[in-house]
Amino acid sequence: MSILPIVIYPDPALKTKCEPVAEVTKEIQKILDNMAETMYAAPGIGLAAPQVGITQRLIVIDVSSREEGAPKKLYQLVNPKIVAREGEIEWEEGCLSIPGFLQNMKRSAKVTVEALDKKGKPIQIEAQELLAVCLQHEIDHIDGKLIIDNVSRLKRKLYLEELEKTEPSYPVKHRRGEL
Ligand code: ZN
């Protein structure tokens, strides 16, 4: 397994609506494992394929590090889709591709997600709280949506100026793109 460099805002890969995966091949499984390795190393609690420059509908999530004493629980999901939502919750979110940026987001409090697992088997996840928020954040990524999309262009420009002075603690890849 290898740690991949994380693509940083405003790389065009982060704006791409990603393609569904036709078949869960060995290659896809390898990508999912490298994504998990990259997420744990950062460290982060979720990562979507465009964040490592791969524009396919793949996400990995493990929120267990945020709950004291919780066992590791890794989700490696192919073509995840929200099929039901309930309620509303507000959460302050960050993103490995937008280091140093935090944004309050309104999310559904509970979601049901359907996906294929790493073996290509259909699964359903019922999630609430942090896991629900994280699923919505990562599924936004594969639709090309970012938490920074919700602020003004001026704020995005100011953020980029700040970013010039920050060096994330994990390997990154900078590429210029539209704000
Ligand atoms: Zn993110």
Side-chain angles (χ1 to χ4, degrees), residues 46-48 51 94-98 137-138 141 146-147:
L47 192 74
Q51 292 184 274
C95 181
L96 291 172
S97 293
I98 319 171
H137 179 115
E138 301 312 331
H141 267 300
L146 301 172
I147 56 173

Side-chain angles (χ1 to χ4, degrees), residues 9 20 32 40 45 47-48 50 62 67 69 75 97-98 101-102 117 124 127 137 143-144 148 150 153 159 164 167:
Y9 179 80
L32 285 167
Y40 285 128
I45 57 172
L47 192 74
D62 186 346
E67 297 159 55
Y75 293 96
S97 293
I98 319 171
F101 182 82
L102 292 172
D117 69 7
Q124 196 180 71
H137 179 115
D143 283 325
I148 201 165
N150 302 297
R153 193 162 192 281
Y159 166 73
E164 304 271 337
E167 200 48 61

Side-chain angles (χ1 to χ4, degrees), residues 36 39-40 44-47 59-67 70-76 130-131 134 138:
M39 171 185 74
Y40 285 128
I45 57 172
L47 192 74
I59 66 172
V60 298
I61 290 178
D62 186 346
V63 297
S64 61
S65 62
R66 296 290 181 89
E67 297 159 55
K72 248 186 174 187
K73 175 85 177 116
L74 173 63
Y75 293 96
Q76 291 172 296
L130 180 58
L131 181 58
C134 199
E138 301 312 331

Side-chain angles (χ1 to χ4, degrees), residues 82-144:
I82 296 170
V83 294
R85 307 173 171 269
E86 207 187 302
E88 196 179 270
I89 193 171
E90 201 169 307
W91 209 279
E92 188 182 57
E93 298 178 29
C95 181
L96 291 172
S97 293
I98 319 171
F101 182 82
L102 292 172
Q103 176 73 9
N104 274 322
M105 299 290 291
K106 281 202 172 78
R107 299 289 193 183
S108 300
K110 288 185 186 175
V111 291
T112 305
V113 169
E114 285 178 359
L116 299 177
D117 69 7
K118 203 177 110 180
K119 291 177 182 151
K121 197 178 97 203
I123 53 162
Q124 196 180 71
I125 302 162
E126 297 202 8
Q128 50 187 334
E129 306 250 329
L130 180 58
L131 181 58
V133 168
C134 199
L135 282 161
Q136 290 167 84
H137 179 115
E138 301 312 331
I139 292 172
D140 269 359
H141 267 300
I142 55 176
D143 283 325

